[in-house]
Amino acid sequence: AATFTTNSGRHLLEAGDLDGALSQFRSAIDSQPTYAPAHYQLALALKRKGDNAGAAAELQKAAELDPRFKSPTE
């Protein structure tokens, strides 16, 4: 379920529905707190929204859960 919800959030983010994407990523994390891709995608969405502190915290969580998820190059 977390994978499906995260993918749904990615599609919403790509379509410009930032609030919808944030909701989907948070829902994925609620259902599976250790799912690193959801934390990573939430970090990207929070950064886009201007919440740099929240984005940094989620990015750190994603990297702790799976080292493949590190900060995107700017």
Side-chain angles (χ1 to χ4, degrees):
T3 301
F4 178 81
T5 307
T6 300
N7 286 337
S8 175
R10 284 181 47 229
H11 291 297
L12 289 169
L13 188 60
E14 290 170 7
D17 182 357
L18 187 55
D19 290 330
L22 289 167
S23 176
Q24 289 295 317
F25 299 141
R26 288 183 174 127
S27 178
I29 291 167
D30 287 344
S31 71
Q32 191 175 344
T34 60
Y35 188 58
H39 287 280
Y40 182 78
Q41 292 297 325
L42 179 56
L44 297 180
L46 288 170
K47 183 158 181 70
R48 189 178 290 187
K49 189 165 186 159
D51 181 357
N52 292 328
E58 288 300 324
L59 192 57
Q60 180 177 356
K61 181 68 174 176
E64 288 171 6
L65 293 169
D66 186 335
R68 293 176 294 173
F69 291 98
K70 41 187 154 171
S71 181
T73 36
E74 308 224 353

